[in-house]
Amino acid sequence: MASHSTLFISPQNLSSNFSSLFYYSPRSLTFRTKRSSSLSLTTTKPRRLYLSVSASHSLQALIFDCDGVILESEHLHREAYNDAFAHFNVRCPPSSQPLNWDLQFYDVLQNLIGGGKPKMRWYFKEHGWPSSTIFETPPESDEERAKLIDTLQDWKTERYKEIIKSGTVEPRPGVLRLMDEAKAAGKMLAVCSAATKSSVVLCLENLIGMVIFGGDSYLNCEERFKGLDCFLAGDDVKEKKPDPLIYLTAAKRLGVSEKNCLVVEDSVIGLQAATKAGMSCVITYTSSTADQDFKDSIAIYPDLSNVRLSDLELLLQNKVAAS
């Protein structure tokens, strides 16, 4: 039977993170660490040691934004908003024509205000409350203004669903493969979006529920969507991004520390929400967010086509080590 001893030594080649309490047997050597880590060495031949370390902070949960990350969708949202404005003949004074958000303006707006209802409320406060077929004269009471925004948002959401269901929209490069890699490695997966739950569910069912069969060919499948460990939309939290509430809520539901989560975002609003929640964040930018300041991210990519799970794990390890 192998003997077992306890040794009190000060190893010269180990950092101050480790204590000097070792447990020794003829084939293994284990010591405690000051942090919640463990390190073991196993001998296979005399004087040959193999080392393995499990760190207290490692990638446990990968959290994706939806719009701009899973699909490049902002132009689709803009189209749906403009269709809603035209449908209800929404006219802001002094214009006699239906409101139309052009591409340049919407790029600024969607990177300034998160969520559909807050976008419209901000715009109408800045440019004047409109007349429409909902209210012949501009609404003055809070109740009427809330009804106007709710009606526009509901119609816009249904129009957006029609666009997604058309079959012309595909996920951004690499996102499905990365989700599959993470799931196969035992990582938790979550989606956190500021959009309404019904529109996000539709996107997830139609886009992440696809299986890759080489190249760009897809078949419908529900396994990836059902395999999400957490899904939160704008309806689930009181505060929108850049408030960190949606990410803090996700960490709580997943049962993991914020430091063990890695967020994939496309905009500075999402980046701010992630970092305020104490999470590391990588950016996969779009044409409308490419010029934003992403200095607080740990990596910036044009898309996820060449990003592997091992790359993200190393990024998070380096981030934790640096901090």
Side-chain angles (χ1 to χ4, degrees):
M1 184 174 182
S3 62
H4 189 283
S5 303
T6 300
L7 307 176
F8 291 88
I9 61 176
S10 293
Q12 297 179 351
N13 296 324
L14 297 173
S15 75
S16 59
N17 290 335
F18 299 105
S19 69
S20 58
L21 179 58
F22 281 71
Y23 298 97
Y24 170 79
S25 68
R27 290 186 58 82
S28 66
L29 182 65
T30 303
F31 60 91
R32 294 176 179 170
T33 66
K34 292 180 180 178
R35 298 177 180 176
S36 56
S37 307
S38 63
L39 183 148
S40 63
L41 303 97
T42 304
T43 60
T44 56
K45 293 182 180 180
R47 298 182 182 179
R48 177 174 291 183
L49 300 175
Y50 293 90
L51 180 90
S52 64
V53 178
S54 64
S56 59
H57 295 306
S58 60
L59 178 57
Q60 295 181 14
L62 193 58
I63 306 176
F64 292 84
D65 180 28
C66 184
D67 293 324
V69 173
I70 295 177
L71 75 159
E72 195 158 354
S73 59
E74 295 308 330
H75 65 292
L76 305 178
H77 283 288
R78 185 178 71 88
E79 178 184 339
Y81 278 119
N82 287 337
D83 287 348
F85 298 149
H87 179 78
F88 291 103
N89 197 21
V90 175
R91 304 177 311 281
C92 289
S95 176
S96 61
Q97 299 299 315
L99 176 62
N100 186 285
W101 286 340
D102 64 30
L103 178 61
Q104 184 176 8
F105 172 78
Y106 191 74
D107 278 351
V108 175
L109 179 63
Q110 65 100 4
N111 291 313
L112 178 68
I113 308 293
K117 292 181 182 181
K119 281 182 175 67
M120 288 189 285
R121 185 171 292 277
W122 176 89
Y123 184 88
F124 295 147
K125 283 183 177 179
E126 292 291 317
H127 298 272
W129 287 87
S131 59
S132 64
T133 58
I134 304 169
F135 293 104
E136 187 174 342
T137 59
E140 296 183 355
S141 69
D142 290 343
E143 183 180 355
E144 288 180 336
R145 290 174 175 179
K147 181 180 178 180
L148 170 69
I149 290 178
D150 288 345
T151 302
L152 290 173
Q153 183 66 36
D154 289 346
W155 196 95
K156 175 264 176 184
T157 298
E158 292 305 311
R159 174 61 184 134
Y160 181 73
K161 289 179 181 180
E162 292 176 0
I163 298 172
I164 296 296
K165 288 179 180 179
S166 68
T168 60
V169 183
E170 292 189 352
R172 293 192 67 192
V175 65
L176 300 188
R177 174 195 44 75
L178 186 57
M179 284 183 168
D180 290 345
E181 278 189 42
K183 204 64 180 177
K187 311 299 182 183
M188 284 182 279
L189 282 177
V191 171
C192 293
S193 172
T196 57
K197 177 164 286 188
S198 58
S199 65
V200 180
V201 167
L202 183 74
C203 289
L204 299 183
E205 287 178 338
N206 284 270
L207 297 177
I208 77 164
M210 294 177 174
V211 170
I212 306 172
F213 286 96
D216 295 321
S217 177
Y218 302 94
L219 290 177
N220 286 330
C221 177
E222 296 182 352
E223 291 183 3
R224 192 182 290 107
F225 179 39
K226 291 182 177 179
L228 289 176
D229 298 288
C230 178
F231 161 55
L232 294 173
D235 315 57
D236 297 313
V237 290
K238 293 182 179 179
E239 302 296 334
K240 305 288 188 181
K241 301 175 186 178
D243 189 278
L245 182 59
I246 194 167
Y247 287 126
L248 292 171
T249 303
K252 184 176 181 179
R253 291 193 182 182
L254 292 169
V256 299
S257 166
E258 290 83 0
K259 292 184 178 180
N260 293 56
C261 299
L262 182 62
V263 176
V264 184
E265 275 281 2
D266 70 301
S267 70
V268 70
I269 287 179
L271 172 62
Q272 290 170 351
T275 54
K276 287 177 183 178
M279 298 180 182
S280 298
C281 181
V282 298
I283 292 294
T284 170
Y285 58 82
T286 67
S287 57
S288 65
T289 65
D291 295 332
Q292 294 182 9
D293 183 2
F294 297 127
K295 66 179 184 299
D296 292 329
S297 67
I298 61 173
I300 304 172
Y301 305 108
D303 58 50
L304 298 173
S305 56
N306 294 315
V307 180
R308 297 294 184 267
L309 180 65
S310 57
D311 300 326
L312 301 182
E313 290 179 308
L314 183 59
L315 283 169
L316 188 58
Q317 289 173 10
N318 291 341
K319 168 70 174 180
V320 171
S323 60

